[in-house]
Amino acid sequence: MTRPEQLLRDHDRFPTEKSRRSLLWHTKLRLQFTGWLQYLPTGIVAIAFLAAAVVGWLLGAWPALFWSTLSIGALVLAATVFDVITVKYGVRPSEALPQRNDDLDIFDLIRARRSCHSFQSRALTASDRGELLHAAYEHTRPNRLIGTHPIRLEYVAAPMRIWPGSGAQEFLVAIAPRHYDRLTLIDVGRSLHTVVLYATRLGIATCWIGPGADHSSVIEHLGDRFDPDRDHVVCLCAVGYRSWFTPLFVRVMERFTHHRLPLSALFFADPHCQLPLAVQVAPFATFGRCYEACQWSPSSYNAQTTRCAAITAPVGTASKVVRFDFYTTTTSRFYAPVALGIWCANWEAGCRGLGIPGHFAVIPGESGDHCDITERPHYGVSWIAERR
């Protein structure tokens, strides 16, 4: 199991009572939700280099080594101080509103969408907010869902306790019924990410927030829109305008986490998920960049816990695609189904862009237990091709 998958699985039962009592855990939470955690790593690096320079000077190290170590420490410290002033305390010049992305096709739009970890201090314009909330309403209507249980995307304008996401003050909060239903969580991911793509078209930046949200803060700001006996907060999505001013540590982490598994590890030609799908060969090539759209779907910790198996049927001497089955590869009860729903949103958008008709449905009796990937995976939903 990869490290992101382990983190994802553990978070569904984390924190434990023991970890709540841990001083280290409390310290981490305090730094995280007071907005200081993203500055700590660079501050520690700066102090380490400066300390090494002092020790080297005392021990009579080579002048070149002393000055290079001192210079690196001073530069990282200056960057940390600059980040604290401009991002943490917001002392920075105003930034221009972003442009809309009306010129992008759906696939380029999906690739253009990147998680935003630092937002401008300005609020959404009334026009952008109105369009976004209308999309949130439309895409959570019962006739748009795969399952039968209702979900909601509640808008909250308040500086809630989250990490990362510096400066975020507007959110869409995904709420599902309190009783657990896996298909409902898939609906949350699919519906919210459809809204995220719409926001990207408007030029609005977004950031999915799952483990990094303090749910007590979220519930507090929801007020009477949240019933603890009936509702469950699944995740949040911060919305706003992207800021150029981003902490150095966050910039570095974005570069390390901006990678994806190859298509051969995500799409398969058999229900056992062992034979990689030849996506460039007929009849699978018909779906073009839809595979790439799913490959670049966001997921918690960038764990990429979704897989897909293509099911075909013979047509004369050839074959045609009947459906694509989507699975999760871990036992994560919340964030893996949400990530599967995000895949569904991108797949659906891609097929629509190519003019390929189809719909999502759950195949009766399908368990997914035969799909042999890492742990025992779980079948989620299928996209069924329709006749043209």
Side-chain angles (χ1 to χ4, degrees), residues 48 64 115 130 175 259 290 340 349 373-374:
S115 290
I175 300 176
H259 68 278
C290 290
L340 189 153
I373 318 169
T374 59

Side-chain angles (χ1 to χ4, degrees), residues 135-146:
Y137 169 76
E138 285 294 321
H139 291 290
T140 53
R141 295 172 62 180
N143 64 332
R144 297 290 187 97
L145 305 180
I146 304 171

Side-chain angles (χ1 to χ4, degrees), residues 164-182:
S166 300
Q169 298 193 40
E170 296 178 82
F171 302 86
L172 293 176
V173 181
I175 300 176
R178 186 171 179 81
H179 66 272
Y180 182 83
D181 181 78
R182 196 160 177 270

Side-chain angles (χ1 to χ4, degrees), residues 51-221:
V54 171
V55 172
W57 177 72
L58 293 175
L59 296 178
W62 293 341
L65 179 61
F66 165 74
W67 285 111
S68 61
T69 305
L70 181 65
S71 299
I72 293 173
L75 287 173
V76 176
L77 181 61
T80 303
V81 173
F82 178 81
D83 288 341
V84 170
I85 293 173
T86 58
V87 182
K88 174 64 175 172
Y89 292 110
V91 181
R92 60 194 184 199
S94 61
E95 300 174 74
L97 284 172
Q99 299 295 315
R100 292 175 61 106
N101 292 305
D102 294 319
D103 58 325
L104 299 181
D105 68 19
I106 186 59
F107 299 106
D108 289 337
L109 186 74
I110 289 172
R111 287 300 304 267
R113 188 267 163 189
R114 298 282 293 270
S115 290
C116 178
H117 298 127
S118 184
F119 293 86
Q120 295 184 25
S121 57
R122 74 170 78 216
L124 292 177
T125 65
S127 174
D128 284 348
R129 185 184 302 109
E131 288 193 59
L132 185 66
L133 296 185
H134 178 72
Y137 169 76
E138 285 294 321
H139 291 290
T140 53
R141 295 172 62 180
N143 64 332
R144 297 290 187 97
L145 305 180
I146 304 171
T148 58
H149 298 294
I151 62 173
R152 311 194 318 267
L153 298 178
E154 295 284 358
Y155 170 76
V156 176
M160 292 189 287
R161 294 191 292 272
I162 61 163
W163 187 88
S166 300
Q169 298 193 40
E170 296 178 82
F171 302 86
L172 293 176
V173 181
I175 300 176
R178 186 171 179 81
H179 66 272
Y180 182 83
D181 181 78
R182 196 160 177 270
L183 191 55
T184 301
L185 298 175
I186 294 174
D187 269 330
V188 166
R190 174 173 170 255
S191 299
L192 181 50
H193 196 64
T194 302
V195 177
V196 164
L197 292 179
Y198 188 83
T200 306
R201 179 75 70 188
L202 296 176
I204 297 173
T206 55
C207 180
W208 283 83
I209 303 168
D214 178 7
H215 282 201
S216 63
S217 171
V218 178
I219 293 171
E220 176 186 350
H221 286 100

